[in-house]
Amino acid sequence: MSYKVVPIPSEIARGVRETMRAPQYQHPAFADVAKGYGPCRQCLKTFVRDADERILFTYNSFENLSPLPLPGPVFIHKNECRAYDGDGFPPDLVALPLLFEGFGRDSELLIREPVEKDAIDAQLARIFASAGVRYVNIRNAEAGCFVARVDRA
Ligand SMILES: [Zn+2]
């Protein structure tokens, strides 16, 4: 595999569960029962609606990547879960409406395109072969929220 899907850092997830505040902002976090599919930004699995408990908090997906932050709302499971560490694309994400966004230096947006669910590996290989692309963000194509980052393997 030529890429690695990277969930939010485990210390961020641990911090918000322990303090119920967004670790990067200190804004209060919010917990309730899942009303949507999520997904959880740590394990990258979709929520079981009306069953899984989730925490909503503000997350800057550009920390350590760009001097310009990009804060936005994300969900994680309220209870500890295992950070995604698989090869390839997380199975639970394939069916979701998603965008790939390829970023260059200083988080300049270079490429944005809908995820081609039948050709994800080839699509990511092509995006990473584009001039200047340093990493790719996965975003929800409807809600707009950050889902996960993709790095070259
Ligand atoms: Zn989870």
Side-chain angles (χ1 to χ4, degrees):
M1 204 60 65
S2 61
Y3 65 88
K4 182 87 183 162
V5 177
V6 182
I8 67 167
S10 291
E11 54 271 27
I12 296 272
R14 189 164 45 244
V16 72
R17 288 180 180 126
E18 285 175 359
T19 67
M20 283 304 287
R21 287 185 178 272
Q24 297 162 318
Y25 292 95
Q26 303 308 312
H27 302 162
F30 177 77
D32 68 353
V33 174
K35 299 294 177 213
Y37 55 76
C40 171
R41 269 53 162 198
Q42 186 173 36
C43 63
L44 300 183
K45 292 178 179 167
T46 49
F47 294 129
V48 179
R49 284 181 219 223
D50 300 315
D52 283 3
E53 288 187 290
R54 64 185 183 179
I55 302 175
L56 174 68
F57 66 102
T58 305
Y59 175 66
N60 168 28
S61 57
F62 283 162
E63 187 169 67
N64 301 322
L65 294 171
S66 170
L68 180 65
L70 187 66
V74 295
F75 291 107
I76 59 169
H77 280 113
K78 183 166 184 276
N79 296 320
E80 190 175 338
C81 62
R82 198 160 170 273
Y84 180 77
D85 189 32
D87 290 327
F89 205 73
D92 273 23
L93 301 189
V94 173
L96 304 184
L98 300 173
L99 301 171
F100 284 141
E101 291 187 329
F103 290 97
R105 185 199 302 265
D106 293 340
S107 64
E108 182 188 3
L109 179 62
L110 301 175
I111 294 174
R112 172 187 290 150
E113 49 187 67
V115 171
E116 299 165 12
K117 59 187 66 174
D118 298 321
I120 289 174
D121 293 355
Q123 186 180 15
L124 281 168
R126 179 170 47 75
I127 292 172
F128 277 123
S130 303
V133 171
R134 296 184 168 197
Y135 54 94
V136 173
N137 277 2
I138 306 170
R139 272 179 77 183
N140 188 298
E142 294 169 346
C145 306
F146 170 84
V147 174
R149 192 178 73 243
V150 190
D151 288 339
R152 287 183 179 84

